[in-house]
């Protein structure tokens, strides 16, 4: 892979607000960011669009990409539920002369940091508490109680990885978290 721009990773347990923060940053053209679209083997949820929210693919397609070593990072998040970042996606964004911004899970975020230590700013978004996380996930009402409990169990493990990130943003107040994220990114891409 060619060495392009910067890589900005936002990772957090589900429901921490990382997606909202990433969307906020993408609205600021002066940051010169482009969203890295992840590949996923799950079905589209709600209004999600293939090629905009995710590259939706079959399990076989995904496994074929793994064999061909076409991922920067990938992970089986839940059984037969794979997510990953295609090398071609990072190349596409760097070819546009932009910095890549990721909204990905904790393990994926740390893998990108490990692969590109100098070019990556890895930010962990910390929710106020596990209880608050549960409330937020229930409010979404896109998933079953089982799925929510699975995500909560995973969140406890993910919270323990926070110190491995370059920086932690505590998302107790969304406006403050957004501003903090903006200042961090602005400083990093200088």
């Amino acid at each position: 892979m060619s060495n392009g721009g910067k890589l900005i990773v936002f990772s957090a347990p589900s429901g921490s607000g990382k997606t909202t923060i990433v969307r906020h940053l993408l609205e600021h053209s002066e940051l010169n960011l482009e969203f890295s679209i992840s590949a996923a083997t799950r079905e589209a949820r709600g209004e999600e669009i293939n090629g905009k929210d995710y590259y939706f693919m079959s399990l076989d397609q995904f496994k074929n990409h793994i064999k061909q070593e076409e991922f920067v990072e990938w992970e089986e998040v839940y059984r037969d539920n794979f997510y990953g970042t295609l090398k071609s996606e990072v190349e596409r964004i760097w070819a546009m002369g932009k910095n890549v911004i990721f909204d990905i899970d904790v393990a994926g975020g740390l893998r990108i940091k490990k692969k590109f230590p100098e070019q990556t700013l890895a930010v962990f978004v910390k929710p106020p508490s596990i209880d608050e996380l549960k409330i937020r996930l229930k409010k979404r009402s896109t998933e079953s109680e089982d799925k929510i409990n699975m995500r909560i169990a995973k969140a406890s493990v993910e919270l323990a990885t926070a110190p491995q990130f370059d920086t932690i943003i505590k998302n107790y107040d969304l406006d403050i978290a957004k501003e903090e994220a903006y200042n961090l990114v602005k400083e990093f891409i200088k």
Side-chain angles (χ1 to χ4, degrees):
M1 275 181 74
S2 67
N3 255 358
K6 302 267 170 108
L7 303 164
I8 296 142
V9 168
F10 277 84
S11 293
S14 248
S16 301
K18 68 177 184 311
T19 304
T20 308
I21 291 170
V22 166
R23 284 195 186 128
H24 168 72
L25 295 173
L26 283 162
E27 287 166 11
H28 291 273
S29 56
E30 71 278 11
L31 297 176
N32 196 25
L33 302 171
E34 183 74 18
F35 181 65
S36 168
I37 302 166
S38 296
T41 59
R42 68 166 175 74
E43 295 293 308
R45 281 199 289 256
E47 313 258 298
E48 289 177 336
I49 299 163
N50 185 40
K52 179 178 178 278
D53 299 292
Y54 287 94
Y55 295 118
F56 294 106
M57 52 180 70
S58 71
L59 198 53
D60 286 345
Q61 285 174 307
F62 199 100
K63 286 182 171 170
N64 197 34
H65 282 299
I66 293 172
K67 259 196 218 103
Q68 308 288 329
E69 298 187 356
E70 290 169 339
F71 285 108
V72 177
E73 59 78 34
W74 62 271
E75 191 193 1
E76 187 172 12
V77 178
Y78 304 110
R79 204 168 76 83
D80 283 344
N81 206 328
F82 288 81
Y83 288 85
T85 304
L86 290 161
K87 289 178 181 171
S88 58
E89 181 64 3
V90 175
E91 296 279 10
R92 173 185 79 84
I93 295 168
W94 280 348
M96 295 162 69
K98 292 195 164 197
N99 301 304
V100 188
I101 190 164
F102 299 86
D103 166 359
I104 59 175
D105 84 307
V106 169
L110 289 171
R111 278 196 202 107
I112 288 172
K113 178 69 188 176
K114 208 168 165 178
K115 244 180 204 175
F116 303 97
E118 299 304 308
Q119 284 165 277
T120 305
L121 171 68
V123 182
F124 187 95
V125 181
K126 201 172 182 181
S129 67
I130 289 281
D131 290 339
E132 175 63 23
L133 215 53
K134 201 164 195 171
I135 292 163
R136 289 180 189 177
L137 288 172
K138 279 189 169 147
K139 266 192 200 148
R140 276 189 195 173
S141 58
T142 51
E143 293 175 320
S144 67
E145 188 70 28
D146 279 356
K147 259 278 170 67
I148 289 174
N149 290 333
M150 222 159 69
R151 288 189 186 277
I152 294 298
K154 195 165 175 260
S156 311
V157 176
E158 289 175 330
L159 284 168
T161 68
Q164 296 172 49
F165 284 77
D166 296 319
T167 188
I168 298 170
I169 291 178
K170 294 188 177 86
N171 185 12
Y172 302 157
D173 177 310
L174 189 58
D175 289 333
I176 294 171
K178 282 176 176 174
E179 193 178 337
E180 212 178 309
Y182 175 83
N183 292 330
L184 272 168
V185 172
K186 197 174 173 179
E187 187 55 36
F188 182 68
I189 61 172
K190 268 211 308 227

